[in-house]
Amino acid sequence: MQEVVLSLLVLLAGLPTLDANDPENKNDPFYYDWYSLRVGGLICAGILCALGIIVLMSGKCKCKFRQKPSH
């Protein structure tokens, strides 16, 4: 399951970089479309934040702060 989620996140983060504007020099290996990269990163961060909130609210993570230590 984790591999699927990780590959989906990598795919979502990489999609905006594929649709780059027409650069001045297409053969330059160091040309980056920073706007699309930033938008992809924000989308990825939003998805991870939402997944974290869903996991916390699902009840699977039980914090036991009020339990007394056993002797």
Side-chain angles (χ1 to χ4, degrees), residues 11-63:
L11 177 69
L12 287 175
L15 280 178
T17 60
L18 294 176
D19 187 30
N21 293 335
D22 188 25
E24 297 166 1
N25 186 3
K26 288 185 178 182
N27 296 328
D28 186 15
F30 296 107
Y31 173 77
Y32 297 104
D33 185 10
W34 293 108
Y35 177 77
S36 297
L37 189 63
R38 184 176 20 171
V39 169
L42 286 173
I43 290 171
C44 182
I47 291 171
L48 287 174
C49 182
L51 283 175
I53 292 171
I54 290 170
V55 166
L56 287 175
M57 296 297 187
S58 69
K60 300 283 183 184
C61 300
K62 301 221 184 227
C63 298

